[in-house]
């Protein structure tokens, strides 16, 4: 049998447009991926689905109606996980939610797909919660607060509400050095930023000498001193520490990466 | 400044309460920060504890001489004190960098309780009024400070705490000759009553200023004095119910003053015991257990080899097995290996079908423990009788968690 692989632009709107397309054409995609990731072979056909904001909007509204706004948001959170196969999982899930008669089917944790989606969203939310704490700002010479991050999932958009609220009076940038984009908040509104050559050391996340504000090192040292002093050696439990603050996050935490 | 932080953070570290939860304070235009209602950890130290607040002493100078404390006046240690502006600047600068969630400010008693309390208040006042700081502030109410000062502190702080430290009056007097229960319990009652009257005020005038919106907490030192676990849990339960405390913290005694003959000789702080007390505390706060169910006068000590929920289950075999398909939430909550989230999920999902092992595992149930206490799809047998001795042999042998601090810190 001929298999169908669907390709989209990688955005959430693009994915929802694809869902619209698959419903309309009764397509059963074997794979859904971004152009760079889609596999090619003799037995499958690759179809590229265009992004249509209006169609995406209809799928979103339908989802909100068929479940709830909270649940629709959960789907977008699971999508941000960027885990392999997440699109096909969400497609299967959406098909069930749209076709099953019960309005609360999306809460059925005994269902394999519902469980997987909820679990994925939980993973992403957990990372968001962690980064509410692990983001580290440095003051730049031109008085913008800059924080590099490298999360597992694409969580920058999910971090914005918290930091916008907390630092409403200071302009900041949170920048994902792996996905190579960031969010800039100018104390009024937020926008996406791409920085060609960010002025920082990619092994430590520290701003270069020229870029950083004049008090940056002082406060950094005070923080490192505090971090050391507050530890109780008699209670040492490094395993617990690394469980709660995994090694992969240490790079940009100045108290761990000196 | 580095030196001051070294001394004054080091001196503050034995106070375990680090949680920054329970308050939500929203930011105002142009202000700095907010208090999130679920605690955020900004880092973890090598002892595995969460750093949420900048936990520091205003000064480690102290006119008192509590036996269990590093800062007591007879200890020959370097002393330091902040200036109000220094500490305010440090807090704001750390906060702007997202190092911390706010400030946890305590102090040794300089000159007098009121003198000390005034300094702490000056820091909080400056943060709130001059810097529009809306982050979290946890302040210690110094035992013996006047009512007016405590009242003012409560208007700036999200949380106030008065530490009891030693869980019985007799031993407190023995170890901290200058302190007694009234000096701790009176401010505690004042705060408790003020929280209630403030709630009433705010019902009438929504603009009335808030008084310690995150409530009050206290700390008990465990293992410096001979109180039984039963006494400690009873005291904690009275504090939760009688004084409406939000949290009671337990701190395994860290032997800082080794030469004092009033104190026990310990190699390491009693971490397992501390952890068992936290588990028992959780049972009281989230699992609807009474302190007198967890322990009683005959069983007055927590079992170090198993958690208190398992211990309770094995002492009450008639309660089991619990049928997951029908039992009410409160009963499911009592099953070893099932937590609050799992219990909720079980109750919410059983209408979709019979609950199986796979489902349970996915809901976060620790099946290796729970399986002895439940009926579900794979365990339909009605005639099953729990054999406490057998189960104990199985579970306690396989329990390699002893000595490891479990993750019960919020
Ligand atoms: S009053 Fe506080 S700081 Fe002073 S010795 Fe007693 S416990 Fe330590």
């Amino acid at each position: 049998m001929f298999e169908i692989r669907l390709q989209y632009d990688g955005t959430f709107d693009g994915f929802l447009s694809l869902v619209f397309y698959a419903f309309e054409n009764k397509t059963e995609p074997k794979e859904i991926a971004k152009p760079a990731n889609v596999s090619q072979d003799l037995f499958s056909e690759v179809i590229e689905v265009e992004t249509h904001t209006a169609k995406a909007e209809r799928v979103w509204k339908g989802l909100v109606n068929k479940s709830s706004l909270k649940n629709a948001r959960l789907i977008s959170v699971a999508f941000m996980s960027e885990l392999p196969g997440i699109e096909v999982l969400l497609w299967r899930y959406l098909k069930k939610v749209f076709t099953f008669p019960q309005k609360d089917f999306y809460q059925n944790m005994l269902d394999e797909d519902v469980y997987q989606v909820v679990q994925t969203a939980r993973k992403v939310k957990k990372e968001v919660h962690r980064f509410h704490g692990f983001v580290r700002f440095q003051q730049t010479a031109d008085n913008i607060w800059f924080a590099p991050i490298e999360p597992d999932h694409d969580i920058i958009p999910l971090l914005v509400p918290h930091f916008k609220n907390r630092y409403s009076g200071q302009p900041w940038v949170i920048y994902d050095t792996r996905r190579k984009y960031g969010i800039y908040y100018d104390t009024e509104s937020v926008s996406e930023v791409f920085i060609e050559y960010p002025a920082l050391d990619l092994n430590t996340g520290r701003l270069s000498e020229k870029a950083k504000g004049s008090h940056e090192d002082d406060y950094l040292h005070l923080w490192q001193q505090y971090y050391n002093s507050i530890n109780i050696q008699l209670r040492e439990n490094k395993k617990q520490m690394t469980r709660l603050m995994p090694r992969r996050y240490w790079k940009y935490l100045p108290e761990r990466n000196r | 400044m580095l030196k001051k932080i070294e001394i004054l953070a080091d001196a503050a570290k034995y106070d375990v309460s680090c949680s920054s939860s329970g308050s939500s304070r929203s930011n105002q235009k142009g202000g700095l920060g907010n208090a999130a209602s679920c605690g955020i950890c900004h880092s973890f130290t090598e002892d595995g504890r969460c750093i949420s607040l900048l936990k520091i002493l205003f000064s480690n100078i102290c006119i008192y001489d509590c036996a269990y404390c590093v800062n007591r006046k007879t200890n020959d240690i370097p002393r330091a004190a902040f200036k109000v502006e220094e500490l305010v600047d440090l807090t704001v600068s750390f906060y702007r960098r997202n190092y911390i969630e706010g400030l946890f400010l305590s102090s040794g008693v300089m000159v007098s309780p009121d003198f000390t309390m005034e300094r702490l208040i000056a820091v909080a006042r400056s943060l709130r009024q001059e810097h529009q700081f809306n982050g979290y502030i946890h302040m210690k109410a110094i035992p013996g400070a006047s009512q007016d000062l405590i009242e003012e502190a409560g208007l700036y702080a999200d949380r106030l705490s008065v530490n009891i430290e030693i869980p019985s009056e007799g031993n407190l007097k023995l170890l901290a000759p200058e302190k007694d229960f009234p000096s701790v319990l009176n401010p505690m009652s004042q705060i408790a009553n003020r929280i209630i009257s403030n709630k009433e005020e705010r019902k009438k005038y929504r603009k009335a200023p808030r008084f310690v919106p995150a409530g009050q907490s206290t700390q008990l030192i465990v293992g410096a004095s001979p109180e039984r676990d039963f006494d400690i849990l009873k005291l904690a339960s009275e504090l939760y119910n009688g004084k409406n405390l939000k949290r009671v913290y337990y701190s395994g005694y860290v032997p800082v003053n080794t030469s004092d003959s009033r104190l026990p000789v310990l190699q390491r702080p009693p971490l397992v015991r501390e952890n068992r007390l936290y588990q028992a505390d959780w049972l009281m706060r989230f699992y609807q257990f009474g302190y007198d169910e967890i322990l009683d006068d005959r069983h007055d000590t927590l079992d170090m080899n198993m958690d208190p929920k398992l211990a309770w289950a094995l002492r009450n075999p008639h309660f089991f097995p619990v049928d997951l398909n029908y039992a009410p939430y409160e009963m499911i909550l009592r099953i070893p290996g099932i937590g609050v989230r799992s219990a909720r999920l079980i109750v919410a999902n059983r209408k979709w079908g019979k609950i199986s092992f796979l489902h349970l595992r996915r809901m976060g149930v620790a099946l290796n423990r729970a399986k002895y206490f439940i009926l579900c799809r794979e365990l339909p047998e009605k005639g099953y009788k729990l054999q406490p001795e057998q189960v104990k042999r199985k579970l306690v042998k396989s329990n390699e968690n002893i000595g490891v601090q479990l993750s019960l810190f919020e």
Side-chain angles (χ1 to χ4, degrees):
Chain A
M1 240 210 33
F2 223 54
E3 283 166 350
I4 302 228
R5 297 175 194 274
L6 295 181
Q7 180 179 308
Y8 74 116
D9 65 2
T11 64
F12 190 54
D13 269 358
F15 173 69
L16 293 181
S17 311
L18 183 150
V19 170
F20 190 95
Y21 171 92
F23 261 109
E24 211 175 38
N25 297 287
K26 303 204 166 46
T27 313
E28 202 39 72
K30 161 95 177 156
E31 187 188 3
I32 303 174
K34 294 174 224 181
N37 299 345
V38 82
S39 20
Q40 305 264 8
D41 61 49
L42 285 176
F43 309 101
S44 57
E45 180 190 359
V46 178
I47 300 174
E48 193 182 329
V49 184
E50 262 178 61
T51 302
H52 279 283
T53 322
K55 288 180 181 169
E57 189 67 14
R58 275 177 65 186
V59 176
W60 177 260
K61 287 223 173 91
L63 177 59
V64 173
N65 278 337
K66 198 68 215 251
S67 56
S68 67
L69 181 61
K70 209 174 145 206
N71 185 61
R73 292 217 175 104
L74 192 85
I75 303 313
S76 68
V77 170
F79 178 80
M80 310 286 233
S81 73
E82 297 189 332
L83 291 175
I86 182 66
E87 294 98 338
V88 173
L89 169 64
L90 287 176
W91 156 250
R92 273 205 313 272
Y93 169 92
L94 288 171
K95 215 168 51 180
K96 282 185 185 171
V97 170
F98 281 122
T99 48
F100 277 39
Q102 302 100 318
K103 193 170 149 71
D104 58 351
F105 179 79
Y106 72 99
Q107 292 175 324
N108 180 0
M109 288 281 280
L110 305 196
D111 180 83
E112 177 73 23
D113 292 332
V114 174
Y115 166 76
Q116 295 294 352
V117 168
V118 170
Q119 205 56 14
T120 309
R122 255 162 67 88
K123 259 191 213 154
V124 178
K125 282 202 265 183
K126 182 174 173 191
E127 192 175 49
V128 169
H129 182 69
R130 277 177 157 162
F131 272 83
H132 285 163
F134 294 164
V135 162
R136 295 280 178 271
F137 288 104
Q138 300 161 68
Q139 192 173 23
T140 64
D142 38 15
N143 203 21
I144 289 173
W145 298 79
F146 183 86
I149 61 172
E150 225 165 72
D152 299 344
H153 311 295
D154 183 18
I155 58 170
I156 283 199
L158 302 172
L159 292 174
V160 169
H162 173 83
F163 287 103
K164 206 171 116 184
N165 191 6
R166 174 154 295 193
Y167 301 115
S168 63
Q170 72 189 39
W172 51 255
V173 172
I174 299 176
Y175 195 79
D176 186 327
T177 49
R178 190 146 58 83
R179 294 175 184 82
K180 298 202 175 23
Y181 83 101
I183 296 279
Y184 170 51
Y185 169 74
D186 63 3
T187 72
E188 292 292 333
S189 56
V190 293
S191 49
E192 261 187 27
V193 286
F194 303 89
I195 308 174
E196 193 102 29
Y197 302 106
L200 62 138
D201 177 343
L202 285 172
N203 294 316
T204 61
R206 302 286 153 79
L207 288 171
S208 69
E209 287 304 322
K210 256 176 69 190
K212 74 179 150 203
S214 47
H215 297 298
E216 221 26 58
D217 286 343
D218 301 339
Y219 288 116
L220 186 79
H221 292 146
L222 293 174
W223 168 241
Q224 290 170 332
Q225 177 65 57
Y226 175 73
Y227 179 80
N228 284 349
S229 301
I230 202 73
N231 178 46
I232 301 182
Q233 264 151 26
L234 271 177
R235 297 181 62 124
E236 187 180 283
N237 193 344
K238 284 201 182 146
K239 229 168 114 187
Q240 172 98 332
M241 172 193 58
T242 28
R243 197 174 63 73
L244 297 167
M245 187 167 70
R247 249 167 231 283
R248 62 181 184 282
Y249 298 138
W250 291 6
K251 192 161 80 164
Y252 294 155
L253 295 172
E255 66 272 27
R256 297 296 323 165
N257 187 5
R258 322 205 142 182
Chain B
M1 207 50 188
L2 269 176
K3 196 74 202 159
K4 281 191 189 177
I5 290 185
E6 185 186 343
I7 295 172
L8 296 170
D10 185 83
K13 67 188 175 190
Y14 302 106
D15 204 308
V16 289
S17 42
C18 71
S19 126
S20 62
S21 59
S23 195
S24 62
R25 181 185 290 276
S26 50
N27 197 356
Q28 277 118 33
K29 192 75 196 144
L32 173 62
N34 58 348
S37 57
C38 55
I40 295 174
C41 290
H42 288 256
S43 193
F44 293 87
T45 37
E46 298 196 345
D47 53 21
R49 299 192 306 165
C50 155
I51 299 184
S52 179
L53 304 175
L54 169 61
K55 181 161 53 175
I56 202 145
L57 298 190
F58 187 84
S59 170
N60 66 339
I61 298 168
C62 193
I63 55 171
Y64 290 165
D65 204 31
C66 309
Y68 46 80
C69 176
V70 254
N71 305 318
R72 62 178 185 172
K73 72 169 178 231
T74 48
N75 276 6
D76 182 18
I77 52 165
R79 307 277 173 173
F82 280 112
K83 294 201 189 92
V84 171
E85 316 80 72
E86 284 174 342
L87 194 48
V88 168
D89 176 67
L90 189 68
T91 307
V92 170
S93 304
F94 275 16
Y95 193 84
R96 285 192 183 282
R97 287 167 177 77
N98 204 42
Y99 295 164
I100 54 168
E101 210 45 31
L103 176 65
F104 178 6
L105 185 55
S106 179
S107 184
V109 184
M110 302 171 284
V111 186
S112 72
D114 275 357
F115 180 94
T116 311
M117 201 66 214
E118 276 164 12
R119 297 296 170 289
L120 304 191
I121 290 172
V123 172
R125 189 195 301 122
S126 166
L127 281 169
R128 292 282 192 239
Q129 293 181 351
E130 285 158 39
H131 295 267
Q132 276 75 50
F133 177 77
N134 295 308
Y136 196 92
I137 298 181
H138 178 165
M139 252 203 291
K140 208 51 99 41
I142 305 292
S146 74
Q147 294 202 3
D148 291 352
L149 290 177
I150 290 187
E151 167 71 25
E152 191 182 354
L155 296 176
Y156 307 130
D158 291 278
R159 171 167 285 180
L160 279 179
S161 61
V162 200
N163 279 2
I164 296 181
E165 308 291 18
I166 301 300
S168 71
E169 177 145 37
N171 290 318
L172 178 68
K173 278 220 169 105
L174 176 71
L175 296 173
E178 292 99 341
K179 290 185 186 165
D180 53 21
F181 260 35
S183 73
V184 177
L185 295 180
N186 290 344
M188 216 179 239
S189 306
Q190 184 195 340
I191 296 167
N193 294 333
R194 228 357 224 116
I195 290 175
I196 295 170
S197 68
N198 181 244
K199 284 211 177 103
E200 289 302 313
E201 277 166 32
R202 286 178 56 83
K203 266 187 216 150
K204 286 193 208 122
Y205 323 98
R206 274 198 306 140
K207 291 250 163 63
R210 298 211 283 180
F211 187 85
V212 274
Q216 61 172 332
S217 63
T218 192
Q219 166 172 290
L220 301 172
I221 296 178
V222 178
S225 50
E227 291 82 10
R228 303 170 301 170
D229 293 332
F230 177 64
D231 304 319
I232 293 174
L233 289 183
K234 185 166 175 220
L235 175 61
S237 161
E238 285 164 6
L239 293 170
Y240 284 131
N241 298 322
K243 301 248 186 278
N244 251 314
L245 256 67
K246 275 277 153 59
R247 280 301 300 272
V248 174
Y249 292 92
Y250 309 87
S251 174
Y253 171 61
V254 180
V256 283
N257 299 324
T258 38
S259 61
D260 195 310
S261 62
R262 287 170 296 175
L263 291 168
V265 179
L266 302 174
Q267 290 308 318
R268 261 171 82 70
L271 295 183
V272 180
R273 183 176 177 207
E274 177 192 290
N275 186 52
R276 294 285 178 238
L277 282 166
Y278 273 111
Q279 290 174 322
D281 188 89
W282 275 56
L283 291 184
M284 297 197 289
R285 289 189 302 135
F286 302 119
Y287 290 82
Q288 309 172 5
F289 277 80
Y291 76 92
D292 49 356
E293 290 180 283
I294 302 169
L295 291 175
D296 53 50
D297 251 322
R298 276 188 310 131
H299 309 94
D300 59 6
T301 309
L302 292 170
D303 193 328
M304 292 301 114
N305 294 318
M306 63 179 119
D307 71 76
K309 197 177 177 193
L310 179 60
W312 176 85
L314 294 180
R315 281 204 314 274
N316 293 278
H318 55 276
F319 195 87
F320 301 98
V322 171
D323 190 332
L324 296 184
N325 289 300
Y326 306 103
Y329 173 74
E330 299 75 44
M331 274 168 88
I332 294 179
L333 210 48
R334 296 217 161 197
I335 302 168
I338 297 187
V340 172
R341 175 172 178 268
S342 321
R344 288 212 185 109
L345 283 174
I346 290 168
V347 173
N349 279 288
R350 53 195 180 185
K351 67 172 179 191
W352 300 106
K354 269 208 180 295
I355 305 273
S356 74
F357 277 179
L358 177 69
H359 299 141
L360 288 173
R361 232 177 256 121
R362 289 180 163 182
M363 293 175 186
V365 172
L367 258 188
N368 66 326
R369 308 153 73 70
K371 67 181 176 202
Y372 302 105
F373 304 94
I374 57 173
L375 298 179
C376 63
R377 188 192 283 172
E378 287 88 345
L379 296 169
E381 196 192 357
K382 289 272 187 262
Y384 176 73
K385 270 256 155 308
L386 177 65
Q387 307 291 333
E389 277 313 311
Q390 256 176 352
V391 174
K392 187 173 170 177
R393 242 178 291 127
K394 288 230 169 72
L395 283 184
V396 174
K397 202 170 52 191
S398 67
N399 183 354
E400 281 153 9
N401 270 336
I402 298 172
V404 177
Q405 207 182 337
L406 301 176
S407 53
L408 275 187
F409 294 95
E410 278 180 351

